[in-house]
């Protein structure tokens, strides 16, 4: 996969580019039953549920990786204005999408 720059900024210093289109990467993950049971117990006493934190961190990394793959297929150099969006599915699954504007350098 090409080295695609992904940035949350609108502009890339020193680069002129044309907008090619929207690019995104999505993943949906769930924890196993044992982790869900542990999370239920943790919700009684409060505090961070580390299993879910790890799942969401991994989901974000996977979504960015898939965003880069999609951008590479489009033949672009970078993705600007990258954002994340998340949502729950059926109460025990989490979907994460990374999306942004795919651009091609004009230099």
């Amino acid at each position: 996969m090409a080295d695609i720059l992904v940035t949350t900024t609108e502009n890339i210093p020193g680069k002129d580019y044309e907008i090619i289109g929207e690019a995104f990467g999505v993943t949906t993950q769930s924890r196993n039953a044992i982790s869900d049971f542990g999370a239920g117990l943790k919700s009684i006493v409060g505090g961070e549920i580390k299993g879910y934190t790890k799942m969401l961190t991994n989901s974000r990394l996977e979504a960015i990786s898939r965003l880069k793959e999609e951008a590479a297929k489009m033949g672009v150099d970078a993705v600007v204005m990258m954002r994340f969006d998340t949502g729950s599915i059926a109460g025990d699954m989490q979907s994460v999408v990374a999306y942004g504007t795919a651009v091609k350098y004009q230099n």
Side-chain angles (χ1 to χ4, degrees), residues 40-94:
L41 293 176
K42 186 70 170 182
S43 68
I44 294 170
V45 297
E48 180 180 10
I49 302 170
K50 293 183 182 186
Y52 283 107
T53 300
K54 182 178 178 181
M55 179 188 71
L56 287 172
T57 299
N58 290 338
S59 294
R60 288 171 63 112
L61 294 173
E62 183 64 31
I64 290 174
S65 176
R66 291 181 181 178
L67 170 68
K68 287 182 174 185
E69 289 174 12
E70 178 71 17
K73 289 178 190 174
M74 296 171 76
V76 301
D77 298 304
V79 176
V80 297
M81 298 295 293
M82 191 280 295
R83 300 289 185 261
F84 288 108
D85 197 4
T86 63
S88 295
I89 301 171
D92 63 346
M93 292 177 272
Q94 188 71 33

Side-chain angles (χ1 to χ4, degrees), residues 1 4 7 10 12 16-17 20 23 26 32-34 47 49 52 60 65 76 79 83-84 96-97 101 103-104:
M1 170 176 41
I4 305 290
T7 180
E10 182 177 358
I12 301 169
D16 292 321
Y17 52 79
I20 303 301
V26 65
N32 62 44
I34 293 170
I49 302 170
Y52 283 107
R60 288 171 63 112
S65 176
V76 301
V79 176
R83 300 289 185 261
F84 288 108
V96 176
V97 62
T101 303
V103 300
K104 185 120 180 106

